[in-house]
Short mmCIF file of all heavy atoms in Angstrom, two decimals:
data_model
loop_
_atom_site.label_atom_id
_atom_site.label_comp_id
_atom_site.label_asym_id
_atom_site.label_seq_id
_atom_site.Cartn_x
_atom_site.Cartn_y
_atom_site.Cartn_z
N GLY A 1105 6.66 -5.31 10.28
CA GLY A 1105 6.00 -6.56 10.67
C GLY A 1105 4.49 -6.48 10.60
O GLY A 1105 3.83 -7.40 10.11
N LEU A 1106 3.92 -5.36 11.07
CA LEU A 1106 2.46 -5.20 11.01
C LEU A 1106 1.95 -5.17 9.58
O LEU A 1106 0.89 -5.71 9.27
CB LEU A 1106 2.06 -3.91 11.74
CG LEU A 1106 2.24 -3.90 13.27
CD1 LEU A 1106 1.92 -2.51 13.82
CD2 LEU A 1106 1.35 -4.95 13.93
N GLY A 1107 2.73 -4.53 8.70
CA GLY A 1107 2.34 -4.48 7.29
C GLY A 1107 2.31 -5.85 6.65
O GLY A 1107 1.44 -6.16 5.83
N ARG A 1108 3.26 -6.70 7.04
CA ARG A 1108 3.34 -8.06 6.49
C ARG A 1108 2.09 -8.87 6.85
O ARG A 1108 1.55 -9.59 6.02
CB ARG A 1108 4.60 -8.76 7.00
CG ARG A 1108 5.88 -8.19 6.40
CD ARG A 1108 7.14 -8.69 7.08
NE ARG A 1108 8.31 -7.98 6.58
CZ ARG A 1108 9.29 -8.52 5.86
NH1 ARG A 1108 9.24 -9.80 5.56
NH2 ARG A 1108 10.30 -7.80 5.43
N LEU A 1109 1.65 -8.75 8.10
CA LEU A 1109 0.46 -9.48 8.51
C LEU A 1109 -0.82 -8.79 8.04
O LEU A 1109 -1.72 -9.43 7.49
CB LEU A 1109 0.44 -9.63 10.04
CG LEU A 1109 -0.79 -10.33 10.63
CD1 LEU A 1109 -0.89 -11.76 10.09
CD2 LEU A 1109 -0.73 -10.34 12.15
N GLY A 1110 -0.89 -7.47 8.24
CA GLY A 1110 -2.12 -6.73 7.94
C GLY A 1110 -2.49 -6.75 6.47
O GLY A 1110 -3.62 -7.09 6.10
N TRP A 1111 -1.56 -6.39 5.59
CA TRP A 1111 -1.85 -6.34 4.16
C TRP A 1111 -2.14 -7.73 3.59
O TRP A 1111 -3.04 -7.90 2.76
CB TRP A 1111 -0.70 -5.70 3.39
CG TRP A 1111 -0.69 -4.22 3.40
CD1 TRP A 1111 0.20 -3.39 4.03
CD2 TRP A 1111 -1.61 -3.34 2.72
NE1 TRP A 1111 -0.11 -2.07 3.79
CE2 TRP A 1111 -1.21 -2.01 2.99
CE3 TRP A 1111 -2.73 -3.56 1.91
CZ2 TRP A 1111 -1.89 -0.91 2.48
CZ3 TRP A 1111 -3.41 -2.46 1.40
CH2 TRP A 1111 -2.99 -1.16 1.68
N ALA A 1112 -1.38 -8.74 4.04
CA ALA A 1112 -1.60 -10.09 3.53
C ALA A 1112 -2.98 -10.60 3.93
O ALA A 1112 -3.69 -11.23 3.13
CB ALA A 1112 -0.51 -11.03 4.06
N THR A 1113 -3.38 -10.32 5.17
CA THR A 1113 -4.71 -10.72 5.63
C THR A 1113 -5.80 -9.96 4.86
O THR A 1113 -6.80 -10.55 4.43
CB THR A 1113 -4.86 -10.44 7.14
OG1 THR A 1113 -3.82 -11.11 7.85
CG2 THR A 1113 -6.21 -10.92 7.65
N PHE A 1114 -5.59 -8.67 4.68
CA PHE A 1114 -6.55 -7.83 3.95
C PHE A 1114 -6.71 -8.31 2.51
O PHE A 1114 -7.81 -8.23 1.93
CB PHE A 1114 -6.05 -6.38 3.98
CG PHE A 1114 -7.07 -5.36 3.53
CD1 PHE A 1114 -8.39 -5.44 3.94
CD2 PHE A 1114 -6.70 -4.30 2.71
CE1 PHE A 1114 -9.33 -4.50 3.54
CE2 PHE A 1114 -7.62 -3.37 2.28
CZ PHE A 1114 -8.95 -3.46 2.71
N SER A 1115 -5.62 -8.87 1.94
CA SER A 1115 -5.67 -9.34 0.54
C SER A 1115 -6.63 -10.51 0.37
O SER A 1115 -7.11 -10.77 -0.73
CB SER A 1115 -4.27 -9.73 0.06
OG SER A 1115 -3.86 -10.98 0.61
N ASP A 1116 -6.90 -11.26 1.47
CA ASP A 1116 -7.88 -12.35 1.39
C ASP A 1116 -9.28 -11.83 1.11
O ASP A 1116 -10.13 -12.55 0.59
CB ASP A 1116 -7.89 -13.14 2.71
CG ASP A 1116 -6.67 -14.03 2.88
OD1 ASP A 1116 -6.09 -14.44 1.87
OD2 ASP A 1116 -6.30 -14.31 4.04
N TYR A 1117 -9.53 -10.57 1.47
CA TYR A 1117 -10.86 -9.98 1.32
C TYR A 1117 -11.00 -9.15 0.05
O TYR A 1117 -12.06 -9.17 -0.58
CB TYR A 1117 -11.18 -9.12 2.55
CG TYR A 1117 -11.24 -9.92 3.83
CD1 TYR A 1117 -10.13 -10.04 4.65
CD2 TYR A 1117 -12.41 -10.59 4.20
CE1 TYR A 1117 -10.17 -10.79 5.82
CE2 TYR A 1117 -12.46 -11.35 5.36
CZ TYR A 1117 -11.34 -11.45 6.16
OH TYR A 1117 -11.39 -12.20 7.31
N ILE A 1118 -9.95 -8.41 -0.32
CA ILE A 1118 -10.06 -7.54 -1.50
C ILE A 1118 -9.38 -8.13 -2.74
O ILE A 1118 -9.51 -7.60 -3.83
CB ILE A 1118 -9.49 -6.13 -1.22
CG1 ILE A 1118 -7.98 -6.18 -1.02
CG2 ILE A 1118 -10.18 -5.50 -0.03
CD1 ILE A 1118 -7.33 -4.80 -0.99
N GLY A 1119 -8.66 -9.24 -2.55
CA GLY A 1119 -7.98 -9.87 -3.68
C GLY A 1119 -6.56 -9.34 -3.84
O GLY A 1119 -6.26 -8.18 -3.52
N ARG A 1120 -5.67 -10.20 -4.35
CA ARG A 1120 -4.28 -9.80 -4.51
C ARG A 1120 -4.09 -8.71 -5.56
O ARG A 1120 -3.30 -7.77 -5.33
CB ARG A 1120 -3.43 -11.02 -4.84
CG ARG A 1120 -2.65 -11.58 -3.69
CD ARG A 1120 -3.47 -12.05 -2.51
NE ARG A 1120 -4.16 -13.30 -2.76
CZ ARG A 1120 -4.82 -14.01 -1.85
NH1 ARG A 1120 -4.94 -13.56 -0.61
NH2 ARG A 1120 -5.42 -15.13 -2.16
N PRO A 1121 -4.78 -8.73 -6.71
CA PRO A 1121 -4.59 -7.64 -7.68
C PRO A 1121 -4.93 -6.27 -7.10
O PRO A 1121 -4.19 -5.30 -7.31
CB PRO A 1121 -5.55 -8.02 -8.82
CG PRO A 1121 -5.67 -9.51 -8.73
CD PRO A 1121 -5.63 -9.81 -7.27
N ASN A 1122 -6.03 -6.18 -6.34
CA ASN A 1122 -6.41 -4.90 -5.72
C ASN A 1122 -5.40 -4.48 -4.66
O ASN A 1122 -5.12 -3.29 -4.49
CB ASN A 1122 -7.80 -5.01 -5.09
CG ASN A 1122 -8.90 -5.10 -6.13
OD1 ASN A 1122 -8.73 -4.64 -7.25
ND2 ASN A 1122 -10.02 -5.69 -5.77
N THR A 1123 -4.85 -5.46 -3.95
CA THR A 1123 -3.86 -5.15 -2.91
C THR A 1123 -2.62 -4.51 -3.51
O THR A 1123 -2.14 -3.48 -3.01
CB THR A 1123 -3.47 -6.43 -2.14
OG1 THR A 1123 -4.65 -7.01 -1.56
CG2 THR A 1123 -2.47 -6.12 -1.04
N TYR A 1124 -2.10 -5.10 -4.58
CA TYR A 1124 -0.88 -4.55 -5.19
C TYR A 1124 -1.14 -3.21 -5.86
O TYR A 1124 -0.29 -2.31 -5.83
CB TYR A 1124 -0.27 -5.57 -6.16
CG TYR A 1124 0.71 -6.48 -5.46
CD1 TYR A 1124 0.25 -7.58 -4.73
CD2 TYR A 1124 2.07 -6.21 -5.45
CE1 TYR A 1124 1.13 -8.39 -4.04
CE2 TYR A 1124 2.96 -7.02 -4.76
CZ TYR A 1124 2.49 -8.11 -4.07
OH TYR A 1124 3.36 -8.90 -3.37
N THR A 1125 -2.31 -3.05 -6.46
CA THR A 1125 -2.65 -1.75 -7.03
C THR A 1125 -2.70 -0.70 -5.92
O THR A 1125 -2.21 0.42 -6.10
CB THR A 1125 -4.01 -1.83 -7.75
OG1 THR A 1125 -3.91 -2.75 -8.85
CG2 THR A 1125 -4.41 -0.46 -8.31
N ALA A 1126 -3.25 -1.07 -4.76
CA ALA A 1126 -3.30 -0.15 -3.62
C ALA A 1126 -1.89 0.23 -3.16
O ALA A 1126 -1.62 1.40 -2.86
CB ALA A 1126 -4.08 -0.78 -2.47
N PHE A 1127 -0.98 -0.77 -3.11
CA PHE A 1127 0.41 -0.48 -2.74
C PHE A 1127 0.98 0.66 -3.59
O PHE A 1127 1.59 1.60 -3.08
CB PHE A 1127 1.30 -1.70 -2.97
CG PHE A 1127 1.12 -2.81 -1.99
CD1 PHE A 1127 1.50 -4.10 -2.32
CD2 PHE A 1127 0.59 -2.59 -0.72
CE1 PHE A 1127 1.36 -5.15 -1.42
CE2 PHE A 1127 0.44 -3.63 0.18
CZ PHE A 1127 0.82 -4.92 -0.17
N PHE A 1128 0.77 0.54 -4.90
CA PHE A 1128 1.44 1.45 -5.82
C PHE A 1128 0.78 2.83 -5.86
O PHE A 1128 1.47 3.84 -5.99
CB PHE A 1128 1.53 0.82 -7.20
CG PHE A 1128 2.21 -0.53 -7.19
CD1 PHE A 1128 1.72 -1.60 -7.93
CD2 PHE A 1128 3.33 -0.74 -6.39
CE1 PHE A 1128 2.35 -2.83 -7.90
CE2 PHE A 1128 3.96 -1.97 -6.35
CZ PHE A 1128 3.46 -3.03 -7.10
N VAL A 1129 -0.54 2.87 -5.74
CA VAL A 1129 -1.24 4.16 -5.69
C VAL A 1129 -0.81 4.92 -4.43
O VAL A 1129 -0.45 6.11 -4.50
CB VAL A 1129 -2.78 3.96 -5.70
CG1 VAL A 1129 -3.47 5.28 -5.39
CG2 VAL A 1129 -3.24 3.43 -7.05
N ILE A 1130 -0.85 4.23 -3.30
CA ILE A 1130 -0.48 4.86 -2.02
C ILE A 1130 0.95 5.37 -2.06
O ILE A 1130 1.23 6.53 -1.73
CB ILE A 1130 -0.67 3.87 -0.85
CG1 ILE A 1130 -2.16 3.58 -0.62
CG2 ILE A 1130 -0.01 4.40 0.43
CD1 ILE A 1130 -2.42 2.42 0.32
N GLN A 1131 1.88 4.53 -2.51
CA GLN A 1131 3.29 4.91 -2.47
C GLN A 1131 3.66 5.94 -3.53
O GLN A 1131 4.52 6.80 -3.29
CB GLN A 1131 4.17 3.66 -2.60
CG GLN A 1131 4.07 2.77 -1.36
CD GLN A 1131 4.96 1.55 -1.47
OE1 GLN A 1131 6.08 1.52 -0.98
NE2 GLN A 1131 4.45 0.51 -2.12
N MET A 1132 3.02 5.88 -4.67
CA MET A 1132 3.28 6.88 -5.70
C MET A 1132 2.95 8.27 -5.18
O MET A 1132 3.73 9.22 -5.35
CB MET A 1132 2.45 6.58 -6.96
CG MET A 1132 2.70 7.52 -8.13
SD MET A 1132 1.81 7.00 -9.62
CE MET A 1132 0.10 7.17 -9.07
N VAL A 1133 1.81 8.39 -4.51
CA VAL A 1133 1.39 9.68 -3.94
C VAL A 1133 2.32 10.09 -2.79
O VAL A 1133 2.79 11.22 -2.71
CB VAL A 1133 -0.07 9.60 -3.45
CG1 VAL A 1133 -0.46 10.87 -2.69
CG2 VAL A 1133 -1.01 9.39 -4.62
N LEU A 1134 2.62 9.14 -1.89
CA LEU A 1134 3.42 9.46 -0.71
C LEU A 1134 4.87 9.81 -1.05
O LEU A 1134 5.45 10.71 -0.43
CB LEU A 1134 3.37 8.31 0.30
CG LEU A 1134 2.00 8.03 0.94
CD1 LEU A 1134 2.11 6.93 1.98
CD2 LEU A 1134 1.41 9.29 1.56
N PHE A 1135 5.46 9.11 -2.00
CA PHE A 1135 6.83 9.43 -2.40
C PHE A 1135 6.88 10.82 -3.04
O PHE A 1135 7.88 11.53 -2.90
CB PHE A 1135 7.38 8.38 -3.36
CG PHE A 1135 8.09 7.25 -2.67
CD1 PHE A 1135 7.37 6.23 -2.06
CD2 PHE A 1135 9.47 7.19 -2.62
CE1 PHE A 1135 8.01 5.18 -1.42
CE2 PHE A 1135 10.13 6.16 -1.99
CZ PHE A 1135 9.39 5.15 -1.38
N PHE A 1136 5.81 11.18 -3.74
CA PHE A 1136 5.75 12.51 -4.35
C PHE A 1136 5.64 13.60 -3.28
O PHE A 1136 6.23 14.68 -3.40
CB PHE A 1136 4.55 12.58 -5.31
CG PHE A 1136 4.43 13.88 -6.04
CD1 PHE A 1136 5.24 14.17 -7.13
CD2 PHE A 1136 3.50 14.84 -5.63
CE1 PHE A 1136 5.13 15.38 -7.81
CE2 PHE A 1136 3.38 16.05 -6.28
CZ PHE A 1136 4.20 16.32 -7.38
N LEU A 1137 4.88 13.31 -2.21
CA LEU A 1137 4.65 14.30 -1.15
C LEU A 1137 5.78 14.36 -0.12
O LEU A 1137 5.98 15.39 0.53
CB LEU A 1137 3.34 14.00 -0.42
CG LEU A 1137 2.04 14.12 -1.23
CD1 LEU A 1137 0.86 13.67 -0.38
CD2 LEU A 1137 1.84 15.55 -1.72
N LEU A 1138 6.51 13.26 0.04
CA LEU A 1138 7.47 13.14 1.14
C LEU A 1138 8.51 14.27 1.21
O LEU A 1138 8.82 14.73 2.32
CB LEU A 1138 8.17 11.78 1.07
CG LEU A 1138 8.92 11.32 2.33
CD1 LEU A 1138 7.99 11.29 3.54
CD2 LEU A 1138 9.54 9.95 2.11
N PRO A 1139 9.08 14.75 0.09
CA PRO A 1139 10.09 15.82 0.20
C PRO A 1139 9.56 17.09 0.85
O PRO A 1139 10.34 17.90 1.36
CB PRO A 1139 10.48 16.09 -1.26
CG PRO A 1139 10.12 14.85 -2.00
CD PRO A 1139 8.90 14.31 -1.30
N ASN A 1140 8.23 17.29 0.81
CA ASN A 1140 7.63 18.50 1.39
C ASN A 1140 7.02 18.26 2.76
O ASN A 1140 6.41 19.17 3.34
CB ASN A 1140 6.55 19.04 0.44
CG ASN A 1140 7.13 19.39 -0.93
OD1 ASN A 1140 8.15 20.08 -1.01
ND2 ASN A 1140 6.50 18.90 -1.98
N MET A 1141 7.20 17.04 3.30
CA MET A 1141 6.65 16.71 4.62
C MET A 1141 7.63 17.18 5.69
O MET A 1141 8.37 16.38 6.28
CB MET A 1141 6.41 15.20 4.73
CG MET A 1141 5.24 14.70 3.94
SD MET A 1141 3.68 15.19 4.72
CE MET A 1141 2.50 14.60 3.50
N THR A 1142 7.63 18.47 5.95
CA THR A 1142 8.60 19.02 6.91
C THR A 1142 8.14 18.91 8.36
O THR A 1142 8.95 19.07 9.27
CB THR A 1142 8.87 20.51 6.58
OG1 THR A 1142 7.63 21.21 6.54
CG2 THR A 1142 9.57 20.63 5.24
#
């Protein structure tokens, strides 16, 4: 729920293209690291 409000509000300031690029950069790195997050 917080992500739905926070990211959408943040997109008003940085723009929707930058927001979606941020989604994918963040998740690409985190999904790669997650198996080793013991």
Side-chain angles (χ1 to χ4, degrees):
L1106 291 175
R1108 289 169 188 247
L1109 178 61
W1111 278 110
T1113 304
F1114 193 43
S1115 75
D1116 286 333
Y1117 297 94
I1118 67 170
R1120 258 60 74 172
N1122 289 335
T1123 302
Y1124 270 81
T1125 297
F1127 287 158
F1128 304 138
V1129 170
I1130 291 169
Q1131 291 181 96
M1132 183 174 64
V1133 173
L1134 294 183
F1135 269 78
F1136 183 78
L1137 295 176
L1138 196 57
N1140 300 311
M1141 287 287 175
T1142 55

